[in-house]
Amino acid sequence: MSNPRVGLVLGSGSSRGWAHIGVIEALQKYDIQISAIAATSSGSFIGASFASGGLGSIKKFALDMDWKRVLSFLDIAFPRSGFIDGHKVAELIQRYTKVSRFEELSIPVHMVATDMFTGEQIILSEGSISDALRASMAVPGLITPILIGDRWLVDGGVVNPLPVDVCRQMETDLIIAVDLNSERIAKRTQNLVEDGWKNGSESIEKKRLEVIKSWIERYGTAGKTVSTKIDQWFSKEEPSPHIFEVLGSSLSIMQKKIEIMNLEIHKPDILIQPRLGDLKFFDFDQAARAIDEGYQRTVAAIPEIRKQLLSLSSDAS
């Protein structure tokens, strides 16, 4: 008798995507064998890294991440279709996925992207992994879309941030889904900065701001102009949120609404929901906390996972 096939759904969530590393580590520790992965956006990156044998390397990369390293992978070019051109993101993808084509992965991975003109969900499961990841992770307005075949593709989270239905189509018996948008704690950047700067103390936000400014100023006169604008974004006199906060928050809210509707129709057998709602879009330097939260939430779900697997095995016999 064959063991039940476990499908893992890794949802979108920008910086919260590091939690997927902890989820997979917990499943491995308790000997829950993953047979298939369906993923969107940051979930696609972690899923491909795991299926290619590179999870340990990407974990080390994540834990070493600071704002200088975050910025080193953002090739800001201000093209007409996005702030970030995406070539350095592609380099990062190629470095940590270890293999170049889907056919080389140890387990099947299906990635979700979106046709930016028709709104159609596109499932990528063959050919170039780096191209598929660039498509699945191309946040509209932030990272430029990519042309695959005759379609311009953007982030799969636009249409399906938690692709349970895709995983169901992969002939799985038990589906474990990781929802990174389960809570949304919105804190205005201005308040965070004020809290950290009072009494002259340096905050994480202030340190990040200085790194961002020094990096952008390398771009000559235009860079200095943008640097001055950043000062305005974070100043006490500027009450409105800056553009990256607007894009990130809007996308998270949209994805949460879509997830709520999709989960009514496509229910996973196990739903894991790390509590990371206070992490903002670019908080990639908060990997240790995200990984641990994913791990702990998955450990808590292990008894139910084992119970359902035992039931499936009994039914099969």
Side-chain angles (χ1 to χ4, degrees), residues 105-159:
L105 296 174
S106 61
I107 59 175
V109 177
H110 288 190
M111 302 177 193
V112 176
T114 305
D115 185 314
M116 65 172 291
F117 291 111
T118 67
E120 182 183 353
Q121 171 177 284
I122 305 299
I123 299 173
L124 302 169
S125 60
E126 58 184 22
S128 168
I129 291 175
S130 61
D131 284 352
L133 284 170
R134 271 203 62 192
S136 187
M137 298 168 64
V139 179
L142 186 59
I143 301 176
T144 54
I146 181 172
L147 181 66
I148 296 181
D150 60 351
R151 297 176 182 269
W152 284 101
L153 302 181
V154 295
D155 196 310
V158 172
V159 292

Side-chain angles (χ1 to χ4, degrees), residues 275-289:
R275 297 176 62 83
L276 296 167
D278 58 315
L279 291 191
K280 298 188 293 300
F281 191 92
F282 277 112
D283 283 349
F284 292 104
D285 55 340
Q286 302 297 305
R289 178 190 161 199

Side-chain angles (χ1 to χ4, degrees), residues 9 11-12 40 112-114 119 121 156-169 175 177 179 181 253-269 271 273:
V9 181
S12 60
T40 297
V112 176
T114 305
Q121 171 177 284
V158 172
V159 292
N160 198 350
L162 192 65
V164 176
D165 55 326
V166 176
C167 194
R168 191 76 68 186
Q169 296 167 9
I175 293 181
D179 172 18
N181 297 304
I253 292 169
M254 177 194 72
Q255 289 177 343
K256 179 56 184 174
K257 296 294 185 182
I258 294 171
E259 279 185 12
I260 290 172
M261 293 185 290
N262 285 356
L263 285 172
E264 289 295 320
I265 303 170
H266 306 290
K267 296 181 183 295
D269 301 292
L271 183 61
Q273 297 178 305

Side-chain angles (χ1 to χ4, degrees), residues 63-116:
L63 293 175
D64 290 342
M65 180 73 78
D66 57 24
W67 261 87
K68 289 183 179 179
R69 293 198 76 185
V70 171
L71 293 173
S72 71
F73 287 100
L74 303 182
D75 43 347
I76 292 182
F78 298 102
R80 68 179 186 177
S81 55
F83 283 102
I84 299 169
D85 195 36
H87 292 299
K88 288 187 178 180
V89 174
E91 290 175 13
L92 173 66
I93 289 167
Q94 291 167 355
R95 183 183 305 179
Y96 289 102
T97 49
K98 292 203 170 185
V99 300
S100 61
R101 301 184 65 80
F102 279 92
E103 293 78 11
E104 300 174 73
L105 296 174
S106 61
I107 59 175
V109 177
H110 288 190
M111 302 177 193
V112 176
T114 305
D115 185 314
M116 65 172 291

